[in-house]
């Protein structure tokens, strides 16, 4: 983007320029954070850092999610938004490591790997500035085996809001997905959403 001179182009909208400028920098920060965290884990999991960051290679996808705000009540004062409704279906991430660097609002939850599913306890980590989560996905399980001490995290997002407020606030999340750049482990949606009933639609 920068080397090609596109950052100086007047053809694209201002918002796109701002997103690319800030997004490239944030992506670089998240890659550096992931390298450092995996370097710490490498002390007890020799080779883990090289598995995800061999030499100068990496495969890190930065995703910036933004859910717009909306009214919680209609013109008669009736609540029209279901509390605790599903925003993101329960799943495992397909990659090796996920770094949720920031979430502006509550809703992200996870369950114990061995005690998951409908009706099982959900745990909601803290959110906001200075709060982040790092967890593993299916790629780690495939690479390290199902008996490894680290389990991939079963998680999702629910609608959580204060009924005394009139609007659902905007929800923003900055997430980095870290995959190994040198191996294709042939992971499909069957691996990431095994508890769904319509598994015939997941073999992709």
């Amino acid at each position: 983007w920068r080397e090609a001179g596109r950052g100086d182009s007047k053809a694209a909208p201002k918002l796109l320029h701002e997103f690319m400028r800030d997004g490239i920098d944030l992506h670089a920060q998240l890659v550096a954070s992931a390298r450092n965290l995996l370097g710490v884990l490498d002390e007890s999991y020799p080779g883990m850092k090289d598995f995800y960051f061999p030499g100068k290679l990496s495969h890190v996808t930065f995703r910036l999610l933004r859910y717009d705000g909306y009214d919680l009540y209609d013109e008669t004062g009736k609540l029209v938004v279901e509390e605790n409704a599903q925003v993101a279906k329960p799943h495992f991430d397909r990659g090796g490591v996920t770094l949720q660097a920031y979430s502006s609002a509550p809703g992200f939850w996870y369950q114990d790997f061995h005690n998951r599913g409908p009706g099982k306890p959900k745990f909601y980590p803290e959110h906001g500035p200075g709060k982040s989560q790092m967890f593993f996905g299916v790629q780690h399980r495939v690479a390290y085996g199902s008996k490894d001490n680290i389990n991939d995290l079963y998680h999702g997002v629910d609608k959580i809001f204060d009924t005394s407020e009139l609007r659902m606030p905007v929800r923003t999340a900055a997430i980095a997905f870290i995959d190994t750049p040198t191996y294709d482990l042939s992971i499909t949606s069957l691996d990431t959403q095994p508890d769904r009933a319509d598994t015939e639609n997941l073999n992709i």
Side-chain angles (χ1 to χ4, degrees), residues 111-131:
Q111 290 180 322
D112 182 272
F113 182 86
H114 300 290
N115 189 33
R116 68 179 191 269
K120 301 296 184 180
K122 291 180 179 179
F123 302 94
Y124 295 85
E126 294 182 74
H127 67 280
K131 307 295 181 183

Side-chain angles (χ1 to χ4, degrees), residues 87-108:
V87 176
K89 292 180 179 180
H91 65 282
F92 298 102
D93 284 353
R94 73 176 300 279
V97 183
T98 299
L99 181 59
Q100 179 167 269
Y102 172 72
S103 178
S104 65
F108 175 84

